[in-house]
Amino acid sequence: MTDKNITSLTIRQPDDWHLHLRDGDMLRAVLPETARHFGRAIIMPNLIPPVVTAEQAVAYRDRIMAALPQDSTFIPLMTLYLTEETDPDDVAAAHAEGIATAVKLYPAGATTNSASGVSDFNKVRHVLEKMAEIGMPLCVHGEVTNADVDIFDREAVFIDKVLKPLRKKVPDLKVVMEHITTQDAVDYVRDTPKNLAATITTHHLIINRNHILVGGIKPHYYCLPVAKRELHRVALVQAAISGDKRFFLGTDSAPHTDPAKLQACGCAGCFTATNTMSCLAEVFDAAGALPKLEAFSSLNGPRYYGLEPNARTITLTKGEPVSYPSAIPTPDGPVTVFNPGFDLHWSVQTN
Ligand code: DOR
Ligand code: ZN
């Protein structure tokens, strides 16, 4: 059977190495969407106020566990939000006690709730050195925030101006460049033999910047980093289907209610938790690369984080188009589910 003729695929249960769950009513509304298909997820700490200390991470993890559907085996892997005041010993203790899996670096002002992020990288160097010593990964939102840098160039400039110098200063630090959107980032990761990996989102494998802007503005496709030209999307697909162990799934599923997105200054984020595995199967199928889906969604991530793949499996089956809800209700309004713009033929069953 050629790859194109595959109609059923059983793979290890996937993990999401970059996820926004929020808190309160929103958390309760969106968590089941991820827990339905995924075994684990790296939980972003950009709440208001952010999850900075080990104590806050424990409290947030408890709220997530309380919001899980009964019988769910989903495991949230917590992160700490890096600030210029972060205490390296608190980070090390949180890692040793299994409270925090990684630390998240937001350049100040880069995106949603990033005001407490880092402006002066020298001020966090002692934290990064401690993390390198204990083998704790740093998840990086890789965009500069300077007003004079074009928004479509912010990732490429970040690599040259921030990430390369930072990795030179702390070469033993394990870095995850998150939600990469450019050929530049793919090349940088490919050219780096050690301590660097990247996550790729579902939506960046599917949309380019035309999808956001041509024929009327589409707020539900607006996210950060913003989608780039088609050549970059193609580079991301090539990286994802390559089987290269340094590329893995991080959906960056980022729920905002429609009222928050559909306004003069709308929020950034695509909500893909609900239909991600069907979308990915479609992308990999179209590329004739279904046998590589498991590496991308279920094997490469745990390998980089030093964890075992999930013991459970899921089965993807190709058939008539699968329907997903177009939105998830919350008390503050609906959260629109990402529309890939094509039919989804792959249904997902958790075994
Ligand atoms: O589009 C995005 N939404 N990008 C981010 O980096 C943050 C996220 C959010 O929290 O809404
Ligand atoms: Zn994110």
Side-chain angles (χ1 to χ4, degrees):
M1 192 156 54
T2 69
D3 293 353
K4 282 275 182 199
N5 294 332
I6 297 173
T7 54
S8 173
L9 184 70
T10 295
I11 61 173
R12 296 285 190 132
Q13 189 178 27
D15 299 306
D16 186 346
W17 299 95
H18 181 132
L19 177 67
H20 297 269
L21 288 176
R22 317 299 189 204
D23 215 339
D25 288 335
M26 181 65 96
L27 166 65
R28 283 185 284 278
V30 301
L31 178 58
E33 300 303 299
T34 288
R36 191 173 300 127
H37 296 157
F38 290 87
R40 297 165 288 196
I42 284 274
I43 310 301
M44 287 297 118
N46 62 333
L47 305 182
I48 309 172
V51 180
V52 173
T53 64
E55 195 183 345
Q56 288 167 328
V58 169
Y60 186 30
R61 185 172 62 186
D62 288 348
R63 296 198 295 280
I64 295 169
M65 296 308 288
L68 270 178
Q70 261 186 355
D71 304 332
S72 174
T73 54
F74 176 79
I75 299 172
L77 303 173
M78 308 309 290
T79 58
L80 299 176
Y81 187 117
L82 184 62
T83 74
E84 292 175 5
E85 282 75 47
T86 292
D87 173 3
D89 294 330
D90 184 63
V91 169
H95 189 246
E97 289 164 30
I99 296 165
T101 301
V103 169
K104 172 71 190 230
L105 167 67
Y106 285 106
T111 186
T112 310
N113 307 338
S114 62
S116 326
V118 176
S119 302
D120 181 351
F121 286 84
N122 284 322
K123 292 199 178 142
V124 296
R125 177 129 172 219
H126 57 305
V127 182
L128 303 183
E129 278 164 357
K130 173 60 92 176
M131 289 168 59
E133 191 187 308
I134 62 176
M136 186 179 196
L138 180 73
C139 298
V140 178
H141 183 110
E143 288 189 290
V144 293
T145 55
N146 318 37
D148 58 340
V149 179
D150 189 278
I151 191 163
F152 291 101
D153 298 334
R154 288 180 171 197
E155 182 172 288
V157 173
F158 184 89
I159 293 170
D160 282 337
K161 294 279 162 27
V162 181
L163 200 48
K164 284 183 181 170
L166 186 146
R167 295 196 57 257
K168 217 172 214 167
K169 284 181 191 157
V170 196
D172 293 331
L173 179 65
K174 242 180 149 147
V175 173
V176 182
M177 209 187 158
E178 300 188 286
H179 43 52
I180 59 168
T181 57
T182 56
Q183 171 93 60
D184 312 63
V186 169
D187 290 345
Y188 179 50
V189 171
R190 280 212 178 108
D191 292 346
T192 307
K194 227 178 130 215
N195 290 334
L196 183 64
T199 58
I200 303 178
T201 75
T202 310
H203 49 285
H204 288 118
L205 292 173
I206 294 173
I207 60 165
N208 63 35
R209 63 194 198 180
N210 279 15
H211 292 87
I212 311 171
L213 296 170
V214 172
I217 192 159
K218 314 291 187 317
H220 291 302
Y221 289 152
Y222 172 62
C223 65
L224 289 170
V226 68
K228 311 294 192 298
R229 318 175 156 266
E230 177 63 3
L231 75 87
H232 296 291
R233 188 194 68 82
V234 170
L236 298 175
V237 172
Q238 290 307 317
I241 67 171
S242 67
D244 186 325
K245 296 178 173 58
R246 293 167 294 186
F247 297 103
F248 44 88
L249 174 64
T251 66
D252 197 13
S253 180
H256 294 278
T257 62
D258 283 358
K261 281 198 72 78
L262 306 178
Q263 55 171 306
C265 184
C267 295
C270 297
F271 180 69
T272 54
T274 306
N275 57 4
T276 272
M277 290 314 297
S278 293
C279 288
L280 290 177
E282 208 72 44
V283 169
F284 278 65
D285 193 6
L290 277 170
K292 294 287 169 58
L293 177 59
E294 183 178 41
F296 179 67
S297 64
S298 315
L299 303 179
N300 295 349
R303 186 178 187 274
Y304 192 72
Y305 274 87
L307 299 169
E308 290 299 317
N310 292 311
R312 296 179 72 171
T313 60
I314 63 166
T315 299
L316 296 144
T317 309
K318 192 175 187 177
E320 290 303 309
V322 195
S323 62
Y324 284 101
S326 60
I328 304 300
T330 83
D332 299 316
V335 173
T336 291
V337 174
F338 176 71
N339 175 0
F342 44 72
D343 283 343
L344 297 172
H345 300 91
W346 291 87
S347 60
V348 186
Q349 180 199 311
T350 307
N351 302 316

